[in-house]
Amino acid sequence: MRVLTSPPEIQSVSREWRLQGLRVGFVPTMGALHDGHLSLVSRSREVCDRTVVSIFVNPIQFGPEEDLDSYPRTFEEDCQQLDRIGTDCVFAPLTRDMYPASSQTRVVPGMLARGLCGSSRPGHFEGVTTVVAKLFHLVAPSVAFFGQKDYQQARILLQMVEDLNFDLELRILPTVRESDGLALSSRNRLLTESERREAPTLHRALQEVERCYNSGERSADRLLGAGRALLAEATHLREDYFEIRDDAALEMRAQLGSGAVAALAVRAGATRLIDNVLLGDAARRLGQG
Ligand code: AMP
């Protein structure tokens, strides 16, 4: 496995592969890898000839009060895991090479970035679209793989690919969970014991919303009420938002249609956790069903 840090180097390696007619798969990450990340890498290995994984904790997607400094960094272990599952290349650039002092251009997302995590984390998605656009230019993949766990991010990136004519296919894969339902996240390792014990409540609350939706309930208020009743049992989790939106435009609806996403963000002490569940036709529309 090659480990590259220089942007021109990854660009030329990837160009070489494309000239040989190979399909390049790409998995962008911030490291501290877990089985959720590895599921994306494995899928890339299945459907592409070469797989590139980037590890870059992107400073411009963190707000001034956020956890950039305490974000977990486990580079050596990450590389060992990636090597073991057959990754061809890790791209781990330095911040100064991604954002030299002279850099000033940003990719600004539209309506999809308003609300949900966009409200709690101003500027976050602009940081994400900017870094992903840069990485897409450097790696020039045929297929890029993202997780449904960050559903709003995935929707925004699908829109960016369409709006800016990136010549690649974006695939959104299902959320990988612990056996108790907690969505795997690099931030889970920051939870205290009591926070970790209660963290699966996110998934249980979302499952309750799904159960009610599947039994015919279409009132967003009543569905959220059912989910919140469960969430209220967790004393260490403080709701940041709990919303149900249509799965495509991410707009709020009082009465839900054939596809929706229930999305939840909580604070557990200093750690922020998010999760979501797709309702109705939403999973099929994402190419998962
Ligand atoms: P991150 O390192 O948190 O930026 O995540 C990198 C990629 O892994 C993103 O596309 C995430 O949506 C995806 N991801 C994170 N957690 C999970 C999970 N539990 N299951 C599947 N994909 C995930």
Side-chain angles (χ1 to χ4, degrees):
M1 184 178 77
R2 299 180 70 169
V3 179
L4 304 178
T5 56
S6 129
E9 244 180 339
I10 182 71
Q11 230 160 3
S12 74
V13 165
S14 177
R15 190 178 305 122
E16 191 58 37
W17 283 336
R18 281 195 311 284
L19 287 173
Q20 293 170 24
L22 299 171
R23 242 164 102 78
V24 177
F26 177 43
V27 181
T29 81
M30 298 205 299
L33 301 183
H34 50 65
D35 285 349
H37 298 114
L38 299 184
S39 73
L40 306 180
V41 179
S42 298
R43 182 64 65 83
S44 173
R45 298 247 310 126
E46 280 162 31
V47 300
C48 295
D49 304 305
R50 295 288 183 270
T51 293
V52 177
V53 177
S54 65
I55 297 179
F56 179 60
V57 182
N58 175 37
I60 71 165
Q61 72 185 65
F62 287 78
E65 307 297 317
E66 291 183 0
D67 58 349
L68 174 62
D69 294 335
S70 57
Y71 195 84
R73 288 163 171 89
T74 57
F75 187 70
E76 295 304 319
E77 285 122 277
D78 291 350
C79 287
Q80 282 164 15
Q81 295 198 72
L82 292 173
D83 196 14
R84 211 174 301 134
I85 65 168
T87 308
D88 297 285
C89 180
V90 170
F91 175 52
L94 296 172
T95 298
R96 65 165 185 268
D97 290 331
M98 290 297 275
Y99 304 110
S102 57
S103 104
Q104 43 182 292
T105 306
R106 294 286 186 268
V107 177
V108 183
M111 293 292 285
L112 289 168
R114 305 225 180 116
L116 303 173
C117 289
S119 298
S120 319
R121 307 186 66 187
H124 168 68
F125 286 120
E126 183 174 315
V128 170
T129 44
T130 300
V131 79
V132 172
K134 285 170 70 71
L135 291 167
F136 281 174
H137 287 306
L138 293 171
V139 178
S142 308
V143 193
F145 300 84
F146 290 85
Q148 179 209 312
K149 190 193 148 238
D150 300 276
Y151 185 78
Q152 187 178 18
Q153 166 177 286
R155 281 295 304 128
I156 289 167
L157 293 175
L158 281 163
Q159 190 68 42
M160 179 185 83
V161 164
E162 190 179 322
D163 291 347
L164 301 187
N165 304 97
F166 280 96
D167 185 17
L168 56 86
E169 182 195 342
L170 209 143
R171 294 202 194 169
I172 314 299
L173 303 188
T175 302
V176 176
R177 299 177 182 283
E178 301 280 6
S179 55
D180 60 10
L182 175 64
L184 297 189
S185 163
S186 304
R187 290 186 170 98
N188 290 350
R189 67 186 80 201
L190 304 173
L191 297 171
T192 64
E193 214 173 290
S194 43
E195 289 161 1
R196 174 63 188 84
R197 220 176 7 253
E198 287 191 344
T201 314
L202 269 89
H203 183 51
R204 285 181 39 231
L206 290 163
Q207 279 183 312
E208 181 61 12
V209 171
E210 185 179 30
R211 192 187 64 73
C212 295
Y213 182 94
N214 288 343
S215 53
E217 181 61 77
R218 290 293 180 274
S219 152
D221 274 352
R222 279 199 289 274
L223 288 165
L224 286 172
R228 282 207 171 96
L230 261 162
L231 191 62
E233 291 170 15
T235 53
H236 294 88
L237 308 182
R238 194 158 46 82
E239 181 185 317
D240 181 359
Y241 65 73
F242 196 172
E243 293 190 33
I244 306 181
R245 299 199 170 204
D246 85 87
D247 57 309
L250 298 185
E251 282 166 358
M252 273 193 256
R253 307 235 190 279
Q255 284 293 316
L256 303 178
S258 62
V261 56
L264 172 55
V266 304
R267 293 194 189 269
T271 309
R272 189 166 176 280
L273 301 175
I274 61 171
D275 201 352
N276 66 76
V277 66
L278 299 179
L279 303 172
D281 288 340
R284 191 180 47 75
R285 286 206 275 262
L286 212 53
Q288 287 179 3

Short mmCIF file of all heavy atoms in Angstrom, two decimals, residues 27-40 54 56 61 71 145-151 153-154 157 171-178 182-188 274-275, ligand 1:
data_model
loop_
_atom_site.label_atom_id
_atom_site.label_comp_id
_atom_site.label_asym_id
_atom_site.label_seq_id
_atom_site.Cartn_x
_atom_site.Cartn_y
_atom_site.Cartn_z
N VAL A 27 -12.56 6.68 -1.13
CA VAL A 27 -13.27 6.80 0.15
C VAL A 27 -12.62 7.93 0.96
O VAL A 27 -11.54 7.73 1.53
CB VAL A 27 -13.20 5.48 0.95
CG1 VAL A 27 -13.97 5.62 2.27
CG2 VAL A 27 -13.75 4.31 0.13
N PRO A 28 -13.25 9.09 1.02
CA PRO A 28 -12.69 10.18 1.84
C PRO A 28 -13.05 9.98 3.31
O PRO A 28 -14.20 9.69 3.63
CB PRO A 28 -13.40 11.45 1.32
CG PRO A 28 -14.24 11.02 0.16
CD PRO A 28 -14.43 9.54 0.26
N THR A 29 -12.07 10.13 4.21
CA THR A 29 -12.32 9.99 5.65
C THR A 29 -11.51 11.02 6.42
O THR A 29 -10.59 11.64 5.88
CB THR A 29 -11.91 8.60 6.20
OG1 THR A 29 -10.48 8.59 6.44
CG2 THR A 29 -12.26 7.46 5.25
N MET A 30 -11.85 11.12 7.71
CA MET A 30 -11.03 11.92 8.62
C MET A 30 -10.23 11.01 9.55
O MET A 30 -9.74 11.46 10.60
CB MET A 30 -11.91 12.88 9.42
CG MET A 30 -12.64 13.88 8.53
SD MET A 30 -13.09 15.39 9.36
CE MET A 30 -14.17 14.78 10.63
N GLY A 31 -10.11 9.73 9.19
CA GLY A 31 -9.30 8.81 9.99
C GLY A 31 -10.03 8.33 11.24
O GLY A 31 -11.25 8.44 11.34
N ALA A 32 -9.24 7.81 12.21
CA ALA A 32 -9.81 7.12 13.39
C ALA A 32 -10.82 6.09 12.87
O ALA A 32 -12.00 6.08 13.25
CB ALA A 32 -10.45 8.10 14.37
N LEU A 33 -10.32 5.22 12.02
CA LEU A 33 -11.19 4.35 11.22
C LEU A 33 -11.87 3.26 12.05
O LEU A 33 -11.32 2.76 13.02
CB LEU A 33 -10.38 3.70 10.09
CG LEU A 33 -9.71 4.68 9.14
CD1 LEU A 33 -8.99 3.92 8.03
CD2 LEU A 33 -10.71 5.66 8.53
N HIS A 34 -13.08 2.92 11.64
CA HIS A 34 -13.86 1.85 12.26
C HIS A 34 -14.51 1.05 11.14
O HIS A 34 -14.31 1.34 9.94
CB HIS A 34 -14.89 2.44 13.23
CG HIS A 34 -15.73 3.53 12.64
ND1 HIS A 34 -16.61 3.33 11.60
CD2 HIS A 34 -15.80 4.87 12.93
CE1 HIS A 34 -17.20 4.46 11.30
NE2 HIS A 34 -16.73 5.43 12.07
N ASP A 35 -15.33 0.06 11.53
CA ASP A 35 -15.90 -0.83 10.52
C ASP A 35 -16.85 -0.12 9.55
O ASP A 35 -17.11 -0.64 8.46
CB ASP A 35 -16.63 -2.00 11.18
CG ASP A 35 -15.65 -3.02 11.74
OD1 ASP A 35 -14.44 -2.90 11.43
OD2 ASP A 35 -16.08 -3.91 12.50
N GLY A 36 -17.38 1.03 9.93
CA GLY A 36 -18.21 1.81 9.00
C GLY A 36 -17.37 2.28 7.82
O GLY A 36 -17.73 2.10 6.65
N HIS A 37 -16.21 2.89 8.15
CA HIS A 37 -15.30 3.31 7.08
C HIS A 37 -14.87 2.09 6.24
O HIS A 37 -14.83 2.15 5.00
CB HIS A 37 -14.02 3.92 7.66
CG HIS A 37 -14.23 5.17 8.47
ND1 HIS A 37 -14.00 5.23 9.82
CD2 HIS A 37 -14.64 6.41 8.12
CE1 HIS A 37 -14.24 6.45 10.27
NE2 HIS A 37 -14.63 7.20 9.25
N LEU A 38 -14.54 1.00 6.95
CA LEU A 38 -13.98 -0.16 6.24
C LEU A 38 -15.02 -0.79 5.32
O LEU A 38 -14.67 -1.38 4.29
CB LEU A 38 -13.43 -1.19 7.24
CG LEU A 38 -12.28 -0.66 8.13
CD1 LEU A 38 -11.73 -1.77 9.01
CD2 LEU A 38 -11.15 -0.01 7.33
N SER A 39 -16.32 -0.65 5.67
CA SER A 39 -17.36 -1.19 4.78
C SER A 39 -17.35 -0.43 3.44
O SER A 39 -17.57 -1.02 2.38
CB SER A 39 -18.75 -1.10 5.43
OG SER A 39 -19.22 0.23 5.46
N LEU A 40 -17.04 0.87 3.50
CA LEU A 40 -16.97 1.66 2.25
C LEU A 40 -15.76 1.21 1.43
O LEU A 40 -15.83 1.07 0.20
CB LEU A 40 -16.86 3.16 2.56
CG LEU A 40 -17.92 3.79 3.47
CD1 LEU A 40 -17.64 5.29 3.65
CD2 LEU A 40 -19.31 3.60 2.91
N SER A 54 -8.60 8.64 1.56
CA SER A 54 -7.92 9.82 2.09
C SER A 54 -8.17 9.91 3.59
O SER A 54 -9.24 9.53 4.08
CB SER A 54 -8.39 11.10 1.39
OG SER A 54 -9.75 11.34 1.64
N PHE A 56 -7.80 12.89 6.27
CA PHE A 56 -7.50 14.31 6.43
C PHE A 56 -8.54 14.93 7.35
O PHE A 56 -9.73 14.93 7.03
CB PHE A 56 -7.52 15.01 5.05
CG PHE A 56 -7.24 16.49 5.12
CD1 PHE A 56 -6.04 16.97 5.64
CD2 PHE A 56 -8.19 17.41 4.67
CE1 PHE A 56 -5.79 18.33 5.71
CE2 PHE A 56 -7.94 18.78 4.73
CZ PHE A 56 -6.73 19.24 5.25
N GLN A 61 -13.99 22.56 8.20
CA GLN A 61 -15.36 22.13 8.47
C GLN A 61 -15.68 22.12 9.97
O GLN A 61 -16.76 21.72 10.37
CB GLN A 61 -15.65 20.77 7.83
CG GLN A 61 -14.99 19.58 8.48
CD GLN A 61 -15.23 18.30 7.70
OE1 GLN A 61 -14.78 18.16 6.56
NE2 GLN A 61 -15.96 17.36 8.29
N TYR A 71 -10.30 15.88 18.11
CA TYR A 71 -10.78 14.84 17.19
C TYR A 71 -9.77 13.69 17.19
O TYR A 71 -8.56 13.92 17.08
CB TYR A 71 -10.96 15.42 15.78
CG TYR A 71 -11.79 14.49 14.92
CD1 TYR A 71 -13.18 14.54 14.97
CD2 TYR A 71 -11.19 13.52 14.11
CE1 TYR A 71 -13.95 13.66 14.22
CE2 TYR A 71 -11.95 12.63 13.38
CZ TYR A 71 -13.32 12.72 13.43
OH TYR A 71 -14.08 11.83 12.70
N PHE A 145 -17.36 6.78 -2.44
CA PHE A 145 -18.25 6.09 -1.50
C PHE A 145 -18.41 6.91 -0.23
O PHE A 145 -17.42 7.32 0.38
CB PHE A 145 -17.67 4.71 -1.16
CG PHE A 145 -17.52 3.83 -2.36
CD1 PHE A 145 -16.39 3.93 -3.17
CD2 PHE A 145 -18.52 2.94 -2.72
CE1 PHE A 145 -16.25 3.13 -4.30
CE2 PHE A 145 -18.39 2.13 -3.84
CZ PHE A 145 -17.24 2.24 -4.64
N PHE A 146 -19.68 7.10 0.18
CA PHE A 146 -19.99 7.85 1.40
C PHE A 146 -21.00 7.06 2.22
O PHE A 146 -21.68 6.16 1.71
CB PHE A 146 -20.56 9.23 1.06
CG PHE A 146 -19.55 10.16 0.46
CD1 PHE A 146 -19.28 10.13 -0.91
CD2 PHE A 146 -18.82 11.05 1.25
CE1 PHE A 146 -18.32 10.96 -1.47
CE2 PHE A 146 -17.86 11.88 0.70
CZ PHE A 146 -17.61 11.84 -0.67
N GLY A 147 -21.11 7.42 3.51
CA GLY A 147 -22.01 6.70 4.41
C GLY A 147 -23.33 7.43 4.58
O GLY A 147 -23.37 8.65 4.66
N GLN A 148 -24.40 6.65 4.69
CA GLN A 148 -25.73 7.21 4.95
C GLN A 148 -25.81 7.85 6.33
O GLN A 148 -26.66 8.67 6.60
CB GLN A 148 -26.76 6.10 4.84
CG GLN A 148 -28.18 6.54 5.10
CD GLN A 148 -29.03 5.42 5.67
OE1 GLN A 148 -29.00 4.32 5.12
NE2 GLN A 148 -29.76 5.69 6.73
N LYS A 149 -24.87 7.46 7.22
CA LYS A 149 -24.91 8.01 8.58
C LYS A 149 -24.90 9.54 8.54
O LYS A 149 -25.54 10.20 9.35
CB LYS A 149 -23.72 7.51 9.37
CG LYS A 149 -23.86 7.86 10.82
CD LYS A 149 -22.59 7.65 11.57
CE LYS A 149 -22.55 8.68 12.66
NZ LYS A 149 -21.38 9.51 12.58
N ASP A 150 -24.18 10.11 7.57
CA ASP A 150 -24.16 11.57 7.40
C ASP A 150 -25.08 11.89 6.22
O ASP A 150 -24.62 12.27 5.14
CB ASP A 150 -22.73 12.02 7.15
CG ASP A 150 -21.81 11.65 8.30
OD1 ASP A 150 -21.76 12.41 9.27
OD2 ASP A 150 -21.16 10.58 8.24
N TYR A 151 -26.39 11.71 6.44
CA TYR A 151 -27.33 11.77 5.33
C TYR A 151 -27.36 13.14 4.67
O TYR A 151 -27.36 13.25 3.44
CB TYR A 151 -28.74 11.38 5.80
CG TYR A 151 -29.72 11.31 4.64
CD1 TYR A 151 -29.72 10.21 3.79
CD2 TYR A 151 -30.58 12.36 4.36
CE1 TYR A 151 -30.58 10.14 2.70
CE2 TYR A 151 -31.44 12.30 3.28
CZ TYR A 151 -31.44 11.20 2.45
OH TYR A 151 -32.26 11.13 1.37
N GLN A 153 -25.06 15.40 4.59
CA GLN A 153 -23.80 15.55 3.84
C GLN A 153 -23.90 14.81 2.50
O GLN A 153 -23.51 15.34 1.45
CB GLN A 153 -22.66 14.97 4.68
CG GLN A 153 -21.37 14.73 3.92
CD GLN A 153 -20.26 14.24 4.83
OE1 GLN A 153 -19.71 15.01 5.60
NE2 GLN A 153 -19.91 12.97 4.75
N ALA A 154 -24.43 13.58 2.55
CA ALA A 154 -24.53 12.79 1.32
C ALA A 154 -25.43 13.49 0.29
O ALA A 154 -25.10 13.57 -0.90
CB ALA A 154 -25.07 11.40 1.64
N LEU A 157 -23.62 16.45 -1.19
CA LEU A 157 -22.56 16.06 -2.13
C LEU A 157 -23.13 15.52 -3.44
O LEU A 157 -22.57 15.77 -4.51
CB LEU A 157 -21.61 15.04 -1.47
CG LEU A 157 -20.79 15.62 -0.31
CD1 LEU A 157 -19.98 14.52 0.38
CD2 LEU A 157 -19.86 16.75 -0.79
N ARG A 171 -21.80 6.86 -4.45
CA ARG A 171 -22.65 5.81 -3.86
C ARG A 171 -22.74 6.01 -2.35
O ARG A 171 -21.73 6.26 -1.70
CB ARG A 171 -22.07 4.42 -4.13
CG ARG A 171 -22.11 4.09 -5.60
CD ARG A 171 -22.06 2.60 -5.81
NE ARG A 171 -21.77 2.34 -7.21
CZ ARG A 171 -21.45 1.16 -7.69
NH1 ARG A 171 -21.39 0.11 -6.89
NH2 ARG A 171 -21.21 1.01 -8.98
N ILE A 172 -23.97 5.87 -1.85
CA ILE A 172 -24.23 6.08 -0.42
C ILE A 172 -24.57 4.73 0.20
O ILE A 172 -25.57 4.11 -0.17
CB ILE A 172 -25.43 7.04 -0.20
CG1 ILE A 172 -25.33 8.27 -1.11
CG2 ILE A 172 -25.56 7.43 1.27
CD1 ILE A 172 -24.13 9.12 -0.90
N LEU A 173 -23.74 4.28 1.14
CA LEU A 173 -23.91 2.93 1.70
C LEU A 173 -24.51 2.99 3.11
O LEU A 173 -24.34 3.98 3.83
CB LEU A 173 -22.56 2.21 1.74
CG LEU A 173 -21.84 2.08 0.40
CD1 LEU A 173 -20.62 1.17 0.55
CD2 LEU A 173 -22.75 1.52 -0.68
N PRO A 174 -25.21 1.91 3.50
CA PRO A 174 -25.93 1.90 4.79
C PRO A 174 -25.00 2.08 6.00
O PRO A 174 -23.81 1.76 5.95
CB PRO A 174 -26.57 0.51 4.83
CG PRO A 174 -26.51 -0.01 3.46
CD PRO A 174 -25.39 0.66 2.76
N THR A 175 -25.60 2.54 7.08
CA THR A 175 -24.87 2.79 8.33
C THR A 175 -24.50 1.46 9.01
O THR A 175 -25.35 0.59 9.17
CB THR A 175 -25.77 3.61 9.28
OG1 THR A 175 -26.11 4.82 8.61
CG2 THR A 175 -25.06 3.94 10.58
N VAL A 176 -23.25 1.35 9.42
CA VAL A 176 -22.80 0.17 10.16
C VAL A 176 -22.93 0.48 11.65
O VAL A 176 -22.57 1.58 12.09
CB VAL A 176 -21.33 -0.18 9.80
CG1 VAL A 176 -20.83 -1.35 10.63
CG2 VAL A 176 -21.22 -0.48 8.31
N ARG A 177 -23.44 -0.50 12.43
CA ARG A 177 -23.76 -0.26 13.83
C ARG A 177 -23.09 -1.27 14.76
O ARG A 177 -22.75 -2.37 14.34
CB ARG A 177 -25.29 -0.39 14.04
CG ARG A 177 -26.05 0.61 13.24
CD ARG A 177 -27.56 0.47 13.35
NE ARG A 177 -28.17 1.47 12.50
CZ ARG A 177 -28.26 2.76 12.82
NH1 ARG A 177 -27.87 3.16 14.02
NH2 ARG A 177 -28.77 3.63 11.98
N GLU A 178 -22.96 -0.87 16.02
CA GLU A 178 -22.58 -1.82 17.07
C GLU A 178 -23.76 -2.78 17.28
O GLU A 178 -24.88 -2.49 16.83
CB GLU A 178 -22.34 -1.07 18.40
CG GLU A 178 -21.25 -0.03 18.35
CD GLU A 178 -19.84 -0.60 18.46
OE1 GLU A 178 -19.69 -1.85 18.47
OE2 GLU A 178 -18.90 0.20 18.52
N LEU A 182 -25.93 1.32 18.28
CA LEU A 182 -25.22 2.60 18.15
C LEU A 182 -24.47 2.65 16.82
O LEU A 182 -23.70 1.74 16.49
CB LEU A 182 -24.23 2.77 19.32
CG LEU A 182 -23.35 4.01 19.24
CD1 LEU A 182 -24.16 5.30 19.32
CD2 LEU A 182 -22.29 3.99 20.34
N ALA A 183 -24.70 3.71 16.05
CA ALA A 183 -23.98 3.88 14.78
C ALA A 183 -22.50 4.06 15.07
O ALA A 183 -22.12 4.86 15.95
CB ALA A 183 -24.53 5.10 14.05
N LEU A 184 -21.65 3.33 14.36
CA LEU A 184 -20.21 3.50 14.56
C LEU A 184 -19.82 4.93 14.19
O LEU A 184 -20.32 5.50 13.22
CB LEU A 184 -19.42 2.53 13.68
CG LEU A 184 -19.61 1.04 13.95
CD1 LEU A 184 -18.60 0.23 13.14
CD2 LEU A 184 -19.46 0.73 15.42
N SER A 185 -18.95 5.51 15.01
CA SER A 185 -18.48 6.87 14.77
C SER A 185 -17.12 7.02 15.42
O SER A 185 -16.87 6.46 16.50
CB SER A 185 -19.46 7.88 15.39
OG SER A 185 -18.83 9.15 15.51
N SER A 186 -16.24 7.78 14.78
CA SER A 186 -14.92 8.02 15.36
C SER A 186 -15.07 8.69 16.73
O SER A 186 -14.20 8.56 17.59
CB SER A 186 -14.10 8.92 14.45
OG SER A 186 -14.02 8.35 13.16
N ARG A 187 -16.16 9.44 16.91
CA ARG A 187 -16.35 10.17 18.17
C ARG A 187 -16.85 9.28 19.31
O ARG A 187 -16.82 9.70 20.46
CB ARG A 187 -17.33 11.34 17.97
CG ARG A 187 -16.75 12.47 17.13
CD ARG A 187 -17.67 13.67 17.07
NE ARG A 187 -17.04 14.84 16.48
CZ ARG A 187 -17.20 15.21 15.21
NH1 ARG A 187 -17.95 14.52 14.39
NH2 ARG A 187 -16.59 16.29 14.76
N ASN A 188 -17.29 8.04 19.01
CA ASN A 188 -17.81 7.18 20.09
C ASN A 188 -16.75 6.93 21.15
O ASN A 188 -17.06 6.76 22.32
CB ASN A 188 -18.30 5.84 19.54
CG ASN A 188 -19.58 5.99 18.73
OD1 ASN A 188 -20.19 7.05 18.72
ND2 ASN A 188 -19.96 4.93 18.04
N ILE A 274 -24.75 11.90 15.86
CA ILE A 274 -25.88 12.00 14.93
C ILE A 274 -26.25 10.62 14.42
O ILE A 274 -25.43 9.69 14.44
CB ILE A 274 -25.59 12.93 13.73
CG1 ILE A 274 -24.41 12.40 12.89
CG2 ILE A 274 -25.33 14.35 14.17
CD1 ILE A 274 -24.23 13.15 11.57
N ASP A 275 -27.50 10.51 14.00
CA ASP A 275 -27.97 9.26 13.40
C ASP A 275 -29.23 9.58 12.60
O ASP A 275 -29.80 10.67 12.73
CB ASP A 275 -28.26 8.23 14.50
CG ASP A 275 -28.24 6.78 13.98
OD1 ASP A 275 -28.15 6.58 12.75
OD2 ASP A 275 -28.34 5.86 14.81
P1 AMP B 1 -15.65 10.65 8.63
O1 AMP B 1 -14.30 10.05 8.82
O2 AMP B 1 -16.47 10.71 9.88
O3 AMP B 1 -15.61 11.94 7.86
O4 AMP B 1 -16.45 9.64 7.70
C1 AMP B 1 -15.94 9.25 6.45
C2 AMP B 1 -17.02 8.51 5.70
O5 AMP B 1 -17.43 7.35 6.45
C3 AMP B 1 -18.29 9.35 5.49
O6 AMP B 1 -18.80 9.10 4.20
C4 AMP B 1 -19.21 8.83 6.56
O7 AMP B 1 -20.59 8.99 6.24
C5 AMP B 1 -18.84 7.36 6.59
N1 AMP B 1 -19.25 6.74 7.86
C6 AMP B 1 -19.04 7.22 9.09
N2 AMP B 1 -19.61 6.42 10.01
C7 AMP B 1 -20.20 5.40 9.33
C8 AMP B 1 -20.95 4.24 9.70
N3 AMP B 1 -21.22 3.96 10.98
N4 AMP B 1 -21.40 3.42 8.72
C9 AMP B 1 -21.13 3.69 7.41
N5 AMP B 1 -20.42 4.76 6.99
C10 AMP B 1 -19.96 5.60 7.94
#
